[in-house]
Amino acid sequence: MTAATRPIRLLRVDLARRSWTVEDLPDDLVRAFVGGRGLGAALLRREGRHRLGPADPGAPVVVCTGPLTGTRAPTASRTSLTGLSPLTNTVFDANSGGFFGIRLRRAGFDALWLEGVSDAPVTVSVTPRGVSFEDAAPLWGRGNREAQSALAGGSNRSWAALTIGPAGENGAKLANIAHGDRFFGRGGLGAWMGARRLKAVRVRGDGPVPVADPEGLAFVAGECRKQLGAHPVTSRGLPAFGTAVLMNVINAVGALPARNFRDSGCERADRLSGEALRDRLTVGRKACPGCPIACGRKIALDGRTGPGPEFETLWALGANLGLDDLEAVARLNRVAADLGLDTVSAGATIAAARELFETGDLGWDPLERGAEGVADLLAEMAEVRGRGALLAHGSRRLAEAAGRPDAAMVSKGLELPAYDPRGCQGQGLAYATSNRGGCHLRAYLVAPEILATPKRVDRFAWSGKAGLTIVAQNLNAAVDSLVLCRFTGFALGDGHYARLLKAVTGWDVDGQELMTAGERIYTLERLVNLERGFGRGDDRLPRRLTHEPVARGPSAGHTVHLDEMLDEYYRFRGWDLRGVPTARKLEQLGLGPSPF
Amino acid sequence: MTAATRPIRLLRVDLARRSWTVEDLPDDLVRAFVGGRGLGAALLRREGRHRLGPADPGAPVVVCTGPLTGTRAPTASRTSLTGLSPLTNTVFDANSGGFFGIRLRRAGFDALWLEGVSDAPVTVSVTPRGVSFEDAAPLWGRGNREAQSALAGGSNRSWAALTIGPAGENGAKLANIAHGDRFFGRGGLGAWMGARRLKAVRVRGDGPVPVADPEGLAFVAGECRKQLGAHPVTSRGLPAFGTAVLMNVINAVGALPARNFRDSGCERADRLSGEALRDRLTVGRKACPGCPIACGRKIALDGRTGPGPEFETLWALGANLGLDDLEAVARLNRVAADLGLDTVSAGATIAAARELFETGDLGWDPLERGAEGVADLLAEMAEVRGRGALLAHGSRRLAEAAGRPDAAMVSKGLELPAYDPRGCQGQGLAYATSNRGGCHLRAYLVAPEILATPKRVDRFAWSGKAGLTIVAQNLNAAVDSLVLCRFTGFALGDGHYARLLKAVTGWDVDGQELMTAGERIYTLERLVNLERGFGRGDDRLPRRLTHEPVARGPSAGHTVHLDEMLDEYYRFRGWDLRGVPTARKLEQLGLGPSPF
């Protein structure tokens, strides 16, 4: 078998036994679930591991590349990671750009399964010759910056590493996983690593990545790059301002949450905008490998250059907390990155604590000492110590402990990001039906509702949003499985993606098959959550968003009409009114007999 | 070598590798540290494990019997257990009466070392032939009652078992370990077991227990029984009323803490007294094996007979919370026992939460629904869920999270028990210098200060209390190492204990050697804590007790004069003013060169 068509290889590592094996995955499994996110969920469910608790030693994390990873397809440097979330208890995947997935494939492996609990801090090192286990005690307690530098910097530059900071080590359910200087941000999978005493996984490899039709790929990839170079978001907005380009846009329409979603709009958001970031801190752009967009910012601050804050961070640790000092928020971003805390959930949890203080449900003010106090609080959260212990596991647990569960701005326990759905109804449905909890990355209805791309739809209407949400969820599931960057979706459609996939795999695949794969993946994830005990009652938004109209600004008077959209959503999905896929739908997608 | 003089045998079990080995311990180690608590600390430090964090897989728990365990010495059915406390981070031992230690010795082992993390719920079974590992998945999630019954009840009655309930499984730092229907109560060692997925350890054995001079032992044991039968506390108070005999006595002198130590005395304490317990619920007495005192109560409640509440529980879950319905508090005792929560710390933490509610530092009232609400809260604490998640790890973490660290009535993170030291100065010094945190079992100055046994001393005086405290701490360290029940100390002195030890071991040992062993053990534990980062600054009481005088009642106007007592205490101990044993003292005790 040539490199062009070799089977997809799963490397399985047992951290308890310090052993490893290699498995060639069946072709039909790979074709049905593509790779990345789809393959991760399928592998999890194939062995029934999806029924375990996140803390169970048998509950794995699977790092999956996709068929495009490491090829010349644009943005094909993303790695996907799937597990059971300590924060939400749902199935949870996250993906991130960097060298890990590329090097994993170049080492001859396409996916990496990690399970078991190591009895001492350990670094797992993968090379083409297999796996070795190294003592990570000297790195334990160190921040991501030092860990990345020790494992994948200097003379170790041929390595790519995933690491956790103190937050993950100490089991904070808001802990993320660092991948170079980017992150698998949400869902607390850093706590999964910490509980296994897995400080880091790194990989080195320089073999070929299989491509069936290199010339065809070069042609399609070129076409895709042209499209990315033509769309205003990917050719101008993101390159010029980074993701912070959204700050002023979202705020202008009254969809930027403030004060823990008690307001929808923020007077001084412009101080945290992409424009301000460009004018005051940015010294360059940073692209993930193989990406022509380069949305990453390089900033100079306090005599050091490094990654700048993303939009979500500027919101969560800035606008939503009423902090508007750009430099201070950029510093908090550095602090959180080094500690290994998800900035969105950490900021949202602090905002909830501030509300609880204002309403007399908490005896101390998390914002008493402004940004400096927030920095100290983040450190305590990462150490799960003192006041920080109350916030380290997220808004839901904080609000429940304070006796005010309504103060948690979450869906399925995941903190909502920087878009108030009362100003974009479809995004509300997308939050509520997201199978990893309240996030904007399952379906970004903000694009049609606010950014008018691919075309404008009425952001306050709820009729018809179910269909748009489902199409976006399915397409994104497919793109997350290839794995490509979400931002390509501004410029590319299912036809482009299918042609890339065809060139790389040799499969006779078209846009329709890819969309069906996306639906299969989304439905599989739904099955996993149903089997974990989730149901219609969990497809919810905080009561504040469905019952309390926005008080001021361009979205004033609106709430989210979730129930109206939800019935339609289930029907369009081919699910019954409990939110359970019908036997017919499962059969149609090749997902076997219904477990319900 | 005959059974009478066989070496002391340590059985070492690795939960990760599911392997075991047997080690004969050196005679000089055993003679220097006796057994039980002393041997546990010595074994921990011998391998440097005492420097690890409590969560480290290499941090063991050592179950130690003593030389008297399983012999006919009165109360010789106690087992000691030593580890690193998840709650206090100090070295921590606890002991409890029952069949485990007896059967362990009859199986041919004197101590059991457990380390490593199992990758699935497991029960460790020990027999004379060695160790087997059984799947504990069917018991995981079950309460102590069911677990004990499954493992050591019915046709399994030849087994004795240590188990954890849901609190331990879920890592609540207030989790205890059940031993039959009694407990290793304090310090959260149940969370240690849960983190290792160790649901239970059980043992079966019917071999002989080594005794050097059986006739001599029979004679001395008979003398001791006579003494126990003559002292009013062990012959009348405890047998007639159980430990609850203390309720009215302690309350009458204004030393019963109420409202989280904001009061010192409780109007309706008599409703929870030993007298009320006898009149309303008690149907019989229950003795640990080999004990002539039989302080345990058997009560009938809700159509079921079972163990009744101890004094500390009646206080912590009753008087200190302002609950005075004896039946309701007895029900809470049952709930906590089944969940596997330390009643003292759990009740104290709820009392702290109530204070935080009253002062506006917490948004909900833990006592809103009275005893019924407390029962629900205990369940949430055991599940580390909702409001209970905030309380599950004890008062210190609760109070810190609420921004009111002063509200935690703890020393070294352990919740203080049912004696307000403002009404018994020496007990205040005993709390502050206890090396497992705020507890009355290192030195019970309440005996001379309130119970006038062996003779009355002025309870409000602080001069001279250092010496009394040190003698009590040393003697208790020795008794905990034999292992005998603390209550024998009302009637027996170091001479009795030494004669029992001599008869069993054949050592030429007298009271002075035994007291020196106690001092050696106490000093060793101090070294462990010092090496863990504790120091003089941790020999503290809550500010409330040293700075806020009792407002009302027989102890009105008093605070604890801790600093005055502490300097004297260090000097008498042969420690410097940092609280570090001098090199000369270490040499004198044979504890090697000073690590400081």
Side-chain angles (χ1 to χ4, degrees):
Chain A
M1 219 171 258
T2 68
T5 55
R6 70 163 170 78
I8 296 302
R9 281 198 198 115
L10 174 64
L11 172 61
R12 299 179 72 121
V13 174
D14 186 319
L15 299 168
R17 289 175 185 73
R18 303 214 164 181
S19 62
W20 55 280
T21 56
V22 177
E23 177 189 356
D24 285 350
L25 295 178
D27 290 343
D28 55 347
L29 179 79
V30 175
R31 179 128 183 195
F33 296 99
V34 184
R37 170 178 159 190
L39 186 61
L43 289 173
L44 195 68
R45 190 160 181 266
R46 180 175 69 149
E47 300 189 2
R49 304 289 180 102
H50 67 297
R51 291 183 180 277
L52 299 175
D56 197 294
V61 156
V62 204
V63 183
C64 290
T65 67
L68 303 192
T69 307
T71 70
R72 59 195 297 173
T75 82
S77 65
R78 295 189 82 79
T79 302
S80 176
L81 191 148
T82 301
L84 300 167
S85 165
L87 183 66
T88 66
N89 198 32
T90 62
V91 63
F92 208 102
D93 70 282
N95 72 68
S96 154
F99 282 100
F100 191 90
I102 299 172
R103 300 232 164 105
L104 186 65
R105 295 200 84 193
R106 289 191 175 163
F109 307 108
D110 305 289
L112 171 63
W113 171 289
L114 297 156
E115 70 170 286
V117 176
S118 169
D119 58 8
V122 68
T123 293
V124 168
S125 293
V126 177
T127 70
R129 305 171 66 172
V131 178
S132 61
F133 299 84
E134 285 126 33
D135 178 19
L139 287 176
W140 201 254
R142 305 309 172 114
N144 276 316
R145 202 159 153 245
E146 193 172 335
Q148 285 285 338
S149 159
L151 295 171
S155 62
N156 285 320
R157 285 195 168 278
S158 55
W159 294 90
L162 311 184
T163 59
I164 56 170
E169 295 176 4
N170 297 317
K173 293 186 199 291
L174 302 187
N176 62 19
I177 298 173
H179 177 195
D181 57 13
R182 301 194 74 85
F183 295 91
F184 301 90
R186 311 214 65 197
L189 292 171
W192 181 94
M193 280 180 68
R196 275 87 183 150
R197 314 222 144 218
L198 179 59
K199 179 69 180 180
V201 190
R202 61 178 185 167
V203 58
R204 189 174 65 181
D206 55 8
V209 168
V211 172
D213 176 8
E215 285 173 25
L217 177 62
F219 179 80
V220 186
E223 292 229 317
C224 291
R225 278 170 200 270
K226 277 186 212 158
Q227 291 291 330
L228 291 166
H231 192 281
V233 171
T234 49
S235 72
R236 290 198 298 278
L238 287 172
F241 301 104
T243 52
V245 68
L246 287 161
M247 186 65 79
N248 285 336
V249 180
I250 303 302
N251 191 43
V253 299
L256 189 75
R259 299 174 62 240
N260 198 36
F261 286 78
R262 286 176 293 170
D263 282 333
S264 188
C266 182
E267 256 177 51
R268 289 164 302 184
D270 62 306
R271 300 191 188 181
L272 301 170
S273 66
E275 293 81 350
L277 188 63
R278 179 197 57 186
D279 295 345
R280 300 181 53 174
L281 293 175
T282 304
V283 294
R285 296 160 57 197
K286 168 112 197 277
C288 298
C291 172
I293 305 170
C295 68
R297 301 295 91 176
K298 195 159 82 181
I299 65 168
L301 179 66
D302 302 334
R304 176 158 72 85
T305 62
E310 302 293 333
F311 165 57
E312 293 292 341
T313 303
L314 290 165
W315 167 75
L317 290 173
N320 194 31
L321 299 182
L323 302 177
D324 59 8
D325 176 337
L326 179 64
E327 282 76 8
V329 178
R331 271 181 211 111
L332 292 178
N333 182 53
R334 282 186 174 172
V335 168
D338 199 45
L339 294 168
L341 282 170
D342 171 14
T343 54
V344 181
S345 285
T349 303
I350 295 170
R354 166 68 187 195
E355 176 180 336
L356 292 170
F357 168 71
E358 289 179 28
T359 55
D361 295 293
L362 184 68
W364 52 278
D365 178 4
L367 299 178
E368 190 180 6
R369 293 192 297 114
E372 206 176 311
V374 170
D376 293 343
L377 189 53
L378 290 172
E380 284 195 1
M381 289 166 70
E383 291 174 28
V384 195
R385 179 175 64 76
R387 297 179 177 188
L390 184 59
L391 279 66
H393 305 309
S395 308
R396 180 167 64 181
R397 289 172 175 86
L398 161 71
E400 284 175 357
R404 282 278 314 282
D406 59 296
M409 294 297 109
V410 300
S411 183
K412 294 187 183 71
L414 187 69
E415 286 75 12
L416 300 175
Y419 312 92
D420 187 331
R422 292 171 295 190
C424 40
Q425 295 283 325
Q427 193 59 50
L429 178 65
Y431 286 158
T433 59
S434 157
N435 45 33
R436 68 171 202 172
C439 101
H440 57 297
L441 294 170
R442 304 280 99 156
Y444 192 58
L445 273 287
V446 169
E449 291 187 323
I450 297 179
L451 307 180
T453 173
K455 68 188 210 50
R456 183 178 301 282
V457 300
D458 179 354
R459 65 194 180 97
F460 296 122
W462 52 88
S463 173
K465 294 292 170 68
L468 286 178
T469 300
I470 291 167
V471 169
Q473 287 173 339
N474 293 351
L475 179 60
N476 288 345
V479 174
D480 287 343
S481 304
L482 289 171
V483 186
L484 291 189
C485 175
R486 179 60 38 76
F487 289 158
T488 59
F490 285 110
L492 308 181
D494 55 85
H496 297 102
Y497 295 123
R499 286 164 65 203
L500 289 168
L501 183 59
K502 183 175 178 177
V504 165
T505 59
W507 301 341
D508 183 21
V509 57
D510 60 9
Q512 185 51 53
E513 178 180 334
L514 192 63
M515 288 299 288
T516 301
E519 184 183 5
R520 182 180 302 117
I521 291 161
Y522 207 88
T523 307
L524 179 82
E525 292 167 336
R526 177 76 180 184
L527 282 183
V528 168
N529 284 344
L530 289 167
E531 290 177 284
R532 296 183 68 73
F534 289 83
R536 178 172 180 141
D538 300 294
D539 294 341
R540 303 305 307 162
L541 291 173
R543 192 185 151 78
R544 176 165 300 164
L545 304 182
T546 51
H547 287 74
E548 299 173 19
V550 174
R552 278 174 295 279
S555 298
H558 290 279
T559 58
V560 184
H561 294 258
L562 180 60
D563 285 323
E564 289 88 335
M565 295 186 282
L566 209 50
D567 281 352
E568 194 173 66
Y569 176 91
Y570 291 153
R571 201 166 60 245
F572 284 11
R573 273 263 176 225
W575 299 354
D576 65 24
L577 287 179
R578 298 171 303 160
V580 176
T582 60
R584 188 158 158 265
K585 173 55 77 180
L586 293 179
E587 190 193 0
Q588 178 193 327
L589 294 171
L591 287 173
S594 171
F596 297 99
Chain B
M1 218 168 260
T2 68
T5 55
R6 70 163 169 78
I8 296 303
R9 276 194 203 119
L10 173 65
L11 172 61
R12 300 179 72 121
V13 174
D14 185 321
L15 300 168
R17 290 176 184 73
R18 302 212 165 183
S19 62
W20 56 279
T21 55
V22 177
E23 177 189 356
D24 285 350
L25 295 177
D27 289 343
D28 55 347
L29 180 79
V30 175
R31 179 127 183 199
F33 297 100
V34 184
R37 171 177 159 192
L39 186 61
L43 290 173
L44 195 68
R45 189 159 182 266
R46 182 176 67 151
E47 300 190 2
R49 304 290 181 101
H50 66 297
R51 292 184 180 276
L52 300 174
D56 197 291
V61 156
V62 204
V63 183
C64 290
T65 67
L68 302 192
T69 307
T71 70
R72 60 195 297 173
T75 80
S77 66
R78 296 188 82 80
T79 303
S80 176
L81 190 149
T82 301
L84 300 167
S85 164
L87 183 65
T88 67
N89 198 34
T90 62
V91 64
F92 208 103
D93 70 282
N95 73 68
S96 154
F99 282 101
F100 192 91
I102 299 172
R103 299 234 163 103
L104 186 64
R105 296 200 84 191
R106 290 193 176 162
F109 307 108
D110 304 290
L112 171 63
W113 171 289
L114 298 156
E115 69 170 284
V117 176
S118 168
D119 58 7
V122 68
T123 293
V124 168
S125 292
V126 177
T127 70
R129 305 173 64 173
V131 179
S132 63
F133 300 85
E134 285 125 33
D135 178 18
L139 286 177
W140 201 255
R142 305 310 172 113
N144 276 318
R145 202 158 155 245
E146 193 173 335
Q148 284 286 339
S149 159
L151 295 170
S155 62
N156 286 320
R157 286 194 168 277
S158 55
W159 294 91
L162 311 184
T163 60
I164 55 169
E169 295 175 6
N170 297 316
K173 294 186 199 292
L174 301 188
N176 61 19
I177 298 174
H179 176 196
D181 57 14
R182 301 194 75 86
F183 296 91
F184 300 89
R186 312 213 65 198
L189 292 171
W192 181 94
M193 281 181 67
R196 275 87 183 150
R197 313 222 146 219
L198 178 60
K199 179 70 179 178
V201 190
R202 61 177 184 168
V203 59
R204 189 173 65 182
D206 55 8
V209 168
V211 172
D213 175 8
E215 284 172 27
L217 176 63
F219 179 79
V220 185
E223 293 230 317
C224 292
R225 278 172 200 269
K226 277 185 213 157
Q227 292 291 329
L228 291 166
H231 193 280
V233 172
T234 49
S235 72
R236 292 199 296 278
L238 288 170
F241 302 104
T243 52
V245 68
L246 287 162
M247 185 66 79
N248 285 337
V249 180
I250 303 302
N251 192 42
V253 299
L256 189 74
R259 301 174 61 243
N260 199 35
F261 287 78
R262 285 176 295 169
D263 283 334
S264 188
C266 181
E267 257 178 49
R268 290 165 302 186
D270 62 306
R271 300 192 189 181
L272 301 170
S273 65
E275 293 80 350
L277 188 63
R278 179 196 57 187
D279 296 344
R280 300 181 53 174
L281 293 174
T282 304
V283 296
R285 296 159 58 196
K286 169 113 197 276
C288 298
C291 172
I293 306 171
C295 69
R297 301 295 92 176
K298 194 158 82 180
I299 65 166
L301 179 67
D302 303 332
R304 176 157 73 82
T305 61
E310 302 294 332
F311 165 57
E312 293 292 340
T313 304
L314 290 165
W315 167 75
L317 290 172
N320 194 30
L321 300 181
L323 301 177
D324 59 8
D325 177 336
L326 180 65
E327 283 76 8
V329 178
R331 272 182 209 107
L332 292 178
N333 182 52
R334 281 187 174 172
V335 168
D338 200 44
L339 295 168
L341 281 171
D342 171 14
T343 53
V344 180
S345 285
T349 304
I350 295 170
R354 167 68 187 196
E355 175 180 338
L356 292 170
F357 169 71
E358 289 178 29
T359 55
D361 296 292
L362 184 68
W364 53 277
D365 179 3
L367 300 177
E368 190 180 5
R369 293 190 299 112
E372 207 175 310
V374 171
D376 293 344
L377 188 53
L378 290 172
E380 284 195 1
M381 287 165 71
E383 291 175 27
V384 194
R385 180 174 63 77
R387 296 179 177 189
L390 184 58
L391 280 65
H393 306 310
S395 306
R396 180 169 61 180
R397 288 171 177 85
L398 162 70
E400 284 176 356
R404 281 277 315 282
D406 60 297
M409 294 298 109
V410 301
S411 183
K412 294 188 184 70
L414 188 69
E415 286 74 13
L416 300 176
Y419 312 92
D420 188 330
R422 291 170 296 188
C424 37
Q425 296 283 324
Q427 193 59 50
L429 178 65
Y431 287 159
T433 58
S434 156
N435 45 31
R436 68 171 203 173
C439 101
H440 56 297
L441 294 170
R442 303 281 100 155
Y444 192 58
L445 274 286
V446 168
E449 292 187 321
I450 298 178
L451 308 181
T453 172
K455 69 189 210 50
R456 183 179 302 282
V457 300
D458 179 355
R459 65 191 178 100
F460 296 121
W462 52 88
S463 172
K465 294 293 170 69
L468 287 179
T469 299
I470 292 168
V471 170
Q473 287 174 338
N474 292 351
L475 178 61
N476 288 345
V479 175
D480 287 344
S481 303
L482 288 172
V483 186
L484 290 189
C485 175
R486 179 59 38 77
F487 290 158
T488 59
F490 286 110
L492 306 183
D494 54 85
H496 297 104
Y497 296 125
R499 287 164 65 202
L500 288 167
L501 183 59
K502 182 176 180 177
V504 164
T505 60
W507 301 341
D508 182 22
V509 58
D510 60 10
Q512 185 51 52
E513 178 180 337
L514 192 62
M515 288 301 287
T516 301
E519 184 183 5
R520 183 179 301 116
I521 293 161
Y522 207 88
T523 307
L524 179 83
E525 292 166 337
R526 178 76 179 184
L527 282 182
V528 168
N529 284 345
L530 288 167
E531 291 178 283
R532 296 184 69 71
F534 289 83
R536 179 173 182 142
D538 300 294
D539 294 341
R540 301 305 307 160
L541 292 173
R543 193 184 149 77
R544 175 165 301 163
L545 304 182
T546 50
H547 288 74
E548 299 174 18
V550 174
R552 277 176 294 276
S555 300
H558 290 278
T559 57
V560 184
H561 294 256
L562 180 60
D563 284 323
E564 290 87 336
M565 294 186 281
L566 209 50
D567 281 352
E568 195 173 64
Y569 176 91
Y570 291 154
R571 200 167 60 244
F572 284 12
R573 273 264 176 226
W575 300 354
D576 65 24
L577 287 179
R578 298 170 302 159
V580 176
T582 60
R584 187 158 158 263
K585 174 55 77 178
L586 293 179
E587 191 194 359
Q588 178 191 330
L589 293 171
L591 286 172
S594 172
F596 296 99

